[in-house]
Amino acid sequence: FALTMRLPGAAFALLGSLPAASAAAAPPLSGDDPSHPLAVDYFGIRLAEAIAGVEDDGRRAAEEDGEAVGGDDPPVTLVTCPEGFDDDATLAAIPTARQYGLNTCRNAHDILTKNIGSADMLCVSMAAGVCNCTCAGTTFTPSVSVDAVPWGEAEDLGPPRDDAFDCDDVASSDRGGEKDARLLPDGVRGWKCQELGEMGVLLWEVDEEGDTVTFAAEFLSAGGAAAIGLSSNGGMFGADLLWVGQDDDDAWVVKDMFSKGYSPNGDLVTLDESQDATLVWSEEAEGRMAFQVSRPIKSCDTEDDLEIVAGPLPILWARFSGHSHMYHGPSTSDRGTVYLDLLNPHNEGIPESPEDLFTVDLRFLHGEDQQRYELEEGRVNSYVCRSFAVPSDKPYHIVAYEAILDTVPADANVVHHVLLYSCEEDPNLPDPHMCSAMNAGCYSVDIAWAVGIPIQYMPAVAGLPMGKFYYIEMHYENLSQESGIVDGSGLRLTFTPNLREQDYGYLIVGSDLRRTPDLEPNSDDVVRSGFCPSECTARAVPPGGANIHAMFFHAHLAGRSLRTQQIRDGIELQPMGEMPYYDFNHQYFKSASHAPKLMPGDELITTCHYSTTGTDGPTRFGLETRDEMCFNIVGMYPAVKDWKYCWNNTEGGGRCRWGDGDPVTQGIVPYEPFEESLPKRCSAVNVAPNGGDAGVDNKDKGGKSNLGMDEEEGSKVHSSAMGWAVGHFFLSALVIVQAKLIS
């Protein structure tokens, strides 16, 4: 997603939070010495290593200023900083800082800028009680407060749309409405329905056995083929596609295809060896193109077919001007994404009464006249951020959220995804600005929205505690590089003062940023993993366990796949969650498909695979986009109080830490691997691919695939693509966790 990631529980602790030290000189610092007063979780990824040379840097800087280290330096007044944080008195009261040459605010600013890259980045989101020694030249502007609006008085979202189709018209017994489908037969009109942008409509039904899903779609014809498909991440990398068009003999066929990425000439979209789709019928008339296809819920083709699971899934659609699968172009009238729960489309909604609900709109409007943000001309990808203050006079629960889309011109469709971070302190960044560095005080990804996601509801028994400050990040994707685009989009939060039975919360699992070894260069598959030991869950998780609701997997540009394994009593369960085809530009909270539960004593292993092909040097773990990360933000209820993270700390095991407790570590425990069952109709050792173009003639041959099957009970296959080899781990420690979370 954004150019950098703000880790939950991973805010920087600035100088005011440094531990007090004795009057004796601090011992020499080793980057791997956890007992050293400056080796705990401060500043950033490389600070411990950088501080090893800070004393020399500080001595040289002091000598240049004609001052002795530890002497009485004249105060440096930084008039742009908040009152109470603009002198050296606070810094002077921290012996450890003095001992390492951070003897004046100006001196500390220069040293930190040299060794971290940006000291100003830290000061704009500093925590209360911190000496503002890094804030030279930084101006602070409080976040703008957003007023709550009663739910019933909130304005309708978005401009009216001129869709060609409407599901109400499609389902109506009164045929011939203005937005009715002209070609779909009566037999499918009662199925579940979703409009596809302004150009199409998709209906679907699952058979009584739960083995097959059948889709019916109608589009305004673009003169050629059309396609629908499942996506692992919301994009084309790892998409499982059903392409419907004409073959060389002008017969209508369906092709079961798989996409390995983005390519203008379509060469990364290939025909599956095993064709598992059936074309029931298709028709083109009256400027429309319609078809009906079916496919298994869980295919025997585990390589190229994605399983349809419970929870919202990214569904892709596209229209083509010809009967090939060449790139359809950037126009959103020819392609799109919607998120649908194909297996359980019923949405619980909000059980609270309307009079008990309120909303706040967090939008990219600024200034007294509430101007929209103007996108930078000629830039395809822009990451823009701003901060807000929301009502905090009493505890509130967020119960739903949805996107506000407000782009001018309306057909520009440049909003790609939105992330919302809760902040412990005011980030002081109320105006929209390009953001490429971590905001230190905003440590929790509370909400993630991507194109096509409808309004989202929290579980009926749980609400997400609303913070006091939020930092919102918008990813704009202007593929056509149009100029003059302005945007006032954002998020609407629906909340209630009537707190629900349980709090919704997050736990981070994965690999930390400091001690995780760099990725080797120019390799197709580099693996790093993080471990959450049973001792941690035994101590933190309540006896009844915690319900896993959704997961946010995150890596950077080299990331290719992520998975979190769950081990209980030495036996691996079904994976808690996975992102088998990871795309940095398409990220969202992925629903837990099989209702996993985290129980006391469970162990978690999060494994990330990377491709560093084409790189000349190692890729380190860090905050910038060019660096890497490996973690999973797990949304659960009830929230586990005072537990923010559980991941590796040493090469001997994992770590968890509470606000008033000591770290708990434990080494790796061997376990019995999980075995995934294929459908009974499948044989893992005798699947005969048809190897050719398995398209079928329209309405005649029924589209039978040439999949070899037998009567065996169904084979077992190891989930080994991301499996764990005991003894080969890269376990390390996070160093950017906020001091107030661990002290």
Side-chain angles (χ1 to χ4, degrees):
F1 52 91
L3 297 180
T4 56
M5 176 64 196
R6 295 128 182 108
L7 283 174
F12 285 100
L14 301 188
L15 288 176
S17 299
L18 288 170
S22 63
L29 178 64
S30 168
D32 294 321
D33 179 8
S35 66
H36 194 282
L38 282 179
V40 287
D41 301 330
Y42 297 125
F43 297 109
I45 305 155
R46 302 298 176 189
L47 184 61
E49 289 84 353
I51 288 293
V54 160
E55 184 171 10
D56 290 338
D57 289 341
R59 194 180 308 279
R60 285 193 295 270
E63 291 172 353
E64 291 174 1
D65 291 338
E67 300 291 340
V69 174
D72 297 327
D73 295 335
V76 177
T77 301
L78 305 177
V79 295
T80 59
C81 295
E83 183 178 357
F85 298 97
D86 60 355
D87 57 49
D88 295 328
T90 309
L91 182 65
I94 304 173
T96 306
R98 293 200 310 272
Q99 291 161 9
Y100 282 91
L102 307 181
N103 55 328
T104 70
C105 283
R106 178 68 65 179
N107 168 246
H109 177 274
D110 294 341
I111 292 174
L112 295 178
T113 299
K114 174 181 177 181
N115 290 292
I116 297 178
S118 174
D120 290 338
M121 172 186 73
L122 306 180
C123 72
V124 295
S125 55
M126 65 181 188
V130 172
C131 170
N132 194 26
C133 67
T134 66
C135 295
T138 301
T139 302
F140 290 81
T141 305
S143 295
V144 176
S145 296
V146 181
D147 295 329
V149 175
W151 183 80
E153 300 177 14
E155 65 177 290
D156 292 335
L157 295 182
R161 294 177 49 156
D162 186 23
D163 294 352
F165 300 89
D166 183 272
C167 284
D168 290 337
D169 274 12
V170 172
S172 174
S173 59
D174 182 17
R175 298 287 299 273
E178 289 185 5
K179 300 184 178 183
D180 192 7
R182 299 175 185 173
L183 305 183
L184 294 179
D186 290 340
V188 306
R189 290 174 176 267
W191 294 0
K192 302 299 184 293
C193 181
Q194 172 68 44
E195 294 101 355
L196 301 179
E198 301 180 6
M199 297 297 170
V201 64
L202 177 69
L203 299 93
W204 74 96
E205 183 179 60
V206 177
D207 67 357
E208 293 183 359
E209 293 77 18
D211 294 330
T212 303
V213 60
T214 302
F215 298 101
E218 183 171 324
F219 293 93
L220 292 181
S221 177
I228 58 174
L230 306 178
S231 171
S232 174
N233 50 56
M236 283 292 289
F237 176 53
D240 177 10
L241 305 173
L242 301 179
W243 179 96
V244 179
Q246 291 178 306
D247 63 11
D248 292 340
D249 297 324
D250 295 330
W252 285 90
V253 298
V254 60
K255 295 181 181 180
D256 187 0
M257 310 188 79
F258 186 81
S259 173
K260 298 178 181 178
Y262 303 86
S263 175
N265 62 10
D267 61 352
L268 293 179
V269 180
T270 58
L271 192 72
D272 293 1
E273 288 188 354
S274 175
Q275 291 291 300
D276 300 295
T278 300
L279 179 64
V280 181
W281 60 263
S282 63
E283 185 175 353
E284 186 176 32
E286 303 180 56
R288 305 286 183 98
M289 185 269 195
F291 59 84
Q292 183 176 335
V293 294
S294 63
R295 56 148 288 172
I297 297 293
K298 186 172 185 177
S299 169
C300 301
D301 181 1
T302 58
E303 292 295 322
D304 297 326
D305 287 349
L306 300 180
E307 180 183 359
I308 296 175
V309 296
L313 296 173
I315 306 297
L316 308 180
W317 63 269
R319 308 182 309 154
F320 301 87
S321 58
H323 290 275
S324 72
H325 53 272
M326 298 284 286
Y327 179 52
H328 39 64
S331 173
T332 53
S333 65
D334 291 326
R335 49 88 179 172
T337 307
V338 293
Y339 286 71
L340 302 176
D341 189 341
L342 298 174
L343 302 184
N344 183 27
H346 175 69
N347 207 321
E348 294 183 355
I350 303 175
E352 284 82 5
S353 300
E355 58 267 20
D356 295 327
L357 298 172
F358 299 86
T359 66
V360 288
D361 291 351
L362 310 181
R363 302 178 60 179
F364 276 70
L365 303 173
H366 62 101
E368 294 182 0
D369 54 354
Q370 292 293 278
Q371 294 181 356
R372 297 179 178 90
Y373 173 78
E374 183 171 359
L375 273 66
E376 184 175 326
E377 185 174 351
R379 181 186 289 269
V380 174
N381 290 291
S382 300
Y383 296 87
V384 184
C385 300
R386 66 164 300 186
S387 61
F388 298 89
V390 297
S392 57
D393 56 311
K394 63 178 69 173
Y396 295 103
H397 267 168
I398 297 172
V399 296
Y401 64 89
E402 57 190 310
I404 304 170
L405 300 178
D406 177 28
T407 306
V408 178
D411 61 355
N413 293 304
V414 294
V415 176
H416 188 272
H417 69 253
V418 187
L419 298 173
L420 187 69
Y421 304 88
S422 63
C423 310
E424 289 203 340
E425 305 295 336
D426 189 349
N428 300 293
L429 295 167
D431 294 324
H433 59 281
M434 297 290 288
C435 45
S436 61
M438 174 177 180
N439 189 283
C442 305
Y443 60 83
S444 175
V445 182
D446 279 4
I447 290 171
W449 177 90
V451 171
I453 296 180
I455 184 171
Q456 296 294 293
Y457 304 97
M458 292 294 166
V461 298
L464 178 64
M466 190 159 79
K468 183 177 181 180
F469 301 103
Y470 283 104
Y471 192 69
I472 190 170
E473 172 186 282
M474 184 81 72
H475 174 200
Y476 293 110
E477 185 181 51
N478 184 10
L479 292 175
S480 59
Q481 300 186 44
E482 296 180 39
S483 60
I485 297 176
V486 293
D487 183 75
S489 299
L491 292 172
R492 171 172 291 177
L493 310 182
T494 300
F495 63 97
T496 178
N498 298 335
L499 301 184
R500 291 182 172 179
E501 179 182 345
Q502 298 175 357
D503 282 348
Y504 189 97
Y506 298 102
L507 170 69
I508 310 175
V509 295
S511 177
D512 72 69
L513 300 181
R514 180 181 174 199
R515 292 188 176 91
T516 302
D518 294 346
L519 302 179
E520 295 85 353
N522 203 27
S523 175
D524 288 339
D525 187 25
V526 186
V527 183
R528 296 292 184 266
S529 299
F531 180 66
C532 176
S534 60
E535 286 186 72
C536 293
T537 60
R539 177 175 175 179
V541 179
N547 301 290
I548 306 304
H549 177 252
M551 284 156 280
F552 188 93
F553 289 97
H554 182 65
H556 284 177
L557 297 175
R560 291 298 178 266
S561 65
L562 300 90
R563 165 187 273 188
T564 295
Q565 298 166 264
Q566 184 175 10
I567 295 102
R568 182 174 299 161
D569 299 326
I571 299 175
E572 182 184 3
L573 309 180
Q574 181 175 347
M576 179 176 286
E578 59 186 323
M579 188 66 73
Y581 300 96
Y582 176 80
D583 188 335
F584 177 76
N585 291 311
H586 294 86
Q587 300 180 63
Y588 69 104
F589 270 104
K590 187 175 184 179
S591 295
S593 60
H594 61 286
K597 200 162 190 175
L598 182 64
M599 297 298 294
D602 284 357
E603 299 169 88
L604 302 176
I605 301 171
T606 298
T607 302
C608 298
H609 288 247
Y610 304 88
S611 173
T612 59
T613 301
T615 60
D616 296 327
T619 301
R620 74 172 195 173
F621 278 70
L623 304 176
E624 298 294 334
T625 306
R626 64 179 179 269
D627 303 329
E628 270 308 328
M629 291 184 170
C630 174
F631 66 81
N632 177 12
I633 303 176
V634 181
M636 64 179 67
Y637 63 97
V640 180
K641 299 295 185 182
D642 301 322
W643 194 30
K644 297 296 184 182
Y645 60 92
C646 186
W647 43 21
N648 53 307
N649 180 45
T650 69
E651 293 186 359
R655 179 185 69 169
C656 50
R657 189 191 285 268
W658 285 262
D660 58 353
D662 295 327
V664 177
T665 62
Q666 175 180 302
I668 304 302
V669 177
Y671 60 87
E672 181 180 336
F674 171 73
E675 293 184 337
E676 182 180 357
S677 297
L678 290 175
K680 292 182 179 181
R681 66 181 184 278
C682 303
S683 169
V685 296
N686 184 26
V687 175
N690 67 19
D693 187 337
V696 298
D697 292 341
N698 179 36
K699 299 184 181 178
D700 293 328
K701 298 181 181 178
K704 301 292 185 181
S705 68
N706 290 328
L707 178 65
M709 292 182 269
D710 57 28
E711 300 299 326
E712 295 181 3
E713 279 297 310
S715 58
K716 301 279 189 176
V717 293
H718 287 290
S719 56
S720 60
M722 299 173 69
W724 191 264
V726 175
H728 293 80
F729 303 97
F730 298 94
L731 301 176
S732 51
L734 174 73
V735 297
I736 55 171
V737 180
Q738 187 174 13
K740 62 175 62 179
L741 295 176
I742 63 172
S743 61

